[in-house]
Amino acid sequence: MISVTAPIGITVNTSATLVALVTLSAALVFGLALMPRPSRATITWSVGFGVAMLATYVWVAANQFDSASLRALSSGLIVCFEPLLWLGIRFYAGRRAFWPAAVVYIAIGPAALALTSTTDAYPVVFRIVFSAGAVFAGMSAWELFRLRISARDVVIPLALVSSAFVVVAVFGIAAGITGVGSAPGDELRMLRDINGVGILLTSQCAAITIVLLTRGETLLRGGGKGEQDDHAILRARIARASRRQDPAWSLLDVRLDDPVDVQDALGPAAFASIVAAFHAHVLDALPAAADVARIADGRVLVLLPGSDDEVRRLLRALLTRVSTIEDPGPRAPLRVSASVGWAGVLDADYDLEALTSAAAEASALAQARGGDRWERAVVAAR
């Protein structure tokens, strides 16, 4: 989200509109994402919207009392949305979240702006905080574009707004270095006016993207209560293994390689046939004791017992079975493959969230290394 500083040229009426729209966006995320789909991602995003909503109230108070310190504090609070947005996307994608960097930024940014708001150092501190927020915005855009989802246009609104934040920050840095618009405060005044519009755009785009990510993908793949039941089964199984201290359980994240490219090449009807065959072949390769949760059209989570040697043999058989799937259409046959991330319950201290994140990261690594393979996750002991 683009940051907010002193609202020069922005009236109280516009500030009230800003408060209303950000509050509406927060309500949408709380009601349509967090409540029905509580997870680390939706909790993190909701905290970000809560902080942004608080910042808009501080902004209005700063206007009413003409307080430079409150204006600076609101600026710092607003840009704290960016690291929280980035963390939420990482959680959603099942990747490792580097939360210390976000925590440090959230703790230092608002405090630094508020403490220097009445000093000559404020313009420099503002540029630093603004630029650091742009780094998080750029990473958010990158994470959104690399998400493996069937409806890729879902991420475009928020990704474009985050990219725009980076562009504005680059121009701001260039203006500060070259001295363009050299009248005192000209550059900051320009950024302040842009920020007023940027908040309105970002709050709406973020709410739309987040709600569609948490709800739309599930609806498209026919999820809902059944998916929640699958996760409850996995959680209960791990809990029983934990009580018995049984280490011989593993979580597999099995993903169809390049599903978007396959769908583009074959069309929706043929792709649906490939997906159905993928899930059937995966189930056929698994032992009867395995628990399976269908996460997406081309992704399943599998919790199964067995030693490391037994899991390796199963992985080889599973990958071989998936590779026998071919497009039955009139065009040249298309070879299908899968990638698997493997995490052991003992490594993650029987924590389903940690297991899921580790297995997802290992699966993504297997795909990055060419697919049609498995990778063992390395999870730090808890």
Side-chain angles (χ1 to χ4, degrees):
M1 178 171 288
I2 298 177
S3 65
V4 180
T5 59
I8 296 178
I10 298 179
T11 67
V12 174
N13 288 335
T14 303
S15 298
T17 301
L18 172 62
V19 170
L21 289 177
V22 173
T23 302
L24 174 62
S25 299
L28 289 174
V29 172
F30 294 158
L32 298 180
L34 176 62
M35 299 303 294
R37 302 287 186 273
S39 66
R40 289 189 297 176
T42 55
I43 291 172
T44 303
W45 284 326
S46 297
V47 170
F49 268 95
V51 172
M53 187 169 59
L54 173 63
T56 62
Y57 299 150
V58 175
W59 184 11
V60 172
N63 283 339
Q64 296 298 315
F65 297 106
D66 194 21
S67 171
S69 297
L70 287 179
R71 290 188 184 111
L73 179 60
S74 68
S75 303
L77 291 174
I78 279 291
V79 293
C80 287
F81 182 85
E82 291 298 341
L84 292 170
L85 172 65
W86 171 68
L87 283 178
I89 298 170
R90 296 282 298 186
F91 285 136
Y92 177 84
R95 304 187 182 102
R96 191 181 305 278
F98 302 100
W99 57 266
V103 170
V104 169
Y105 181 82
I106 292 170
I108 294 178
L113 289 175
L115 292 174
T116 61
S117 59
T118 57
T119 69
D120 294 337
Y122 179 75
V124 175
V125 174
F126 168 73
R127 291 188 184 98
I128 293 173
V129 173
F130 187 83
S131 301
V135 171
F136 284 107
M139 292 191 296
S140 296
W142 169 249
E143 294 292 347
L144 287 168
F145 281 125
R146 67 194 289 247
L147 281 179
R148 291 182 174 271
I149 57 177
S150 58
R152 300 181 70 178
D153 53 336
V154 165
V155 306
I156 290 178
L158 184 54
L160 291 180
V161 169
S162 297
S163 301
F165 184 9
V166 177
V167 173
V168 171
V170 169
F171 278 109
I173 294 172
I177 293 175
T178 61
V180 174
S182 56
D186 276 0
E187 180 216 341
L188 293 183
R189 186 175 297 109
M190 176 192 69
L191 290 177
R192 288 163 186 163
D193 291 338
I194 292 174
N195 288 337
V197 177
I199 300 166
L200 298 175
L201 294 175
T202 305
S203 64
Q204 302 303 297
C205 292
I208 291 171
T209 296
I210 288 170
V211 169
L212 288 178
L213 281 177
T214 54
R215 298 289 296 268
E217 283 293 295
T218 301
L219 294 175
L220 286 174
R221 64 177 177 254
K225 187 175 184 298
E227 181 186 354
Q228 295 176 7
D229 291 343
D230 287 340
H231 279 82
I233 292 172
L234 298 183
R235 198 178 301 278
R237 178 79 74 177
I238 291 177
R240 290 197 297 272
S242 176
R243 288 194 297 269
R244 299 173 182 175
Q245 289 298 294
D246 183 358
W249 286 87
S250 298
L251 184 71
L252 307 181
D253 188 324
V254 187
R255 305 189 187 192
L256 187 68
D257 287 332
D258 303 314
V260 175
D261 294 338
V262 173
Q263 184 173 14
D264 290 343
L266 301 180
F271 178 70
S273 175
I274 292 292
V275 167
F278 166 76
H279 287 283
H281 282 59
V282 170
L283 289 174
D284 289 344
L286 296 175
D291 296 307
V292 182
R294 178 167 174 165
I295 303 301
D297 283 345
R299 183 187 176 197
V300 295
L301 291 180
V302 179
L303 183 65
L304 75 164
S307 65
D308 286 358
D309 288 340
E310 291 172 333
V311 174
R312 290 190 185 93
R313 286 195 294 270
L314 183 144
L315 287 171
R316 286 192 290 268
L318 188 153
L319 292 176
T320 299
R321 185 178 290 269
V322 171
S323 68
T324 62
I325 302 173
E326 290 186 352
D327 170 27
R331 291 166 291 186
L334 176 67
R335 184 177 181 274
V336 178
S337 64
S339 296
V340 185
W342 170 20
V345 292
L346 191 61
D347 296 329
D349 196 22
Y350 302 92
D351 186 319
L352 179 59
E353 294 291 339
L355 273 173
T356 303
S357 178
E361 193 167 313
S363 183
L365 177 61
Q367 290 184 323
R369 291 180 173 176
D372 196 18
R373 59 185 295 151
W374 59 268
E375 291 288 343
R376 182 71 185 265
V378 178
V379 184
R382 294 166 63 89

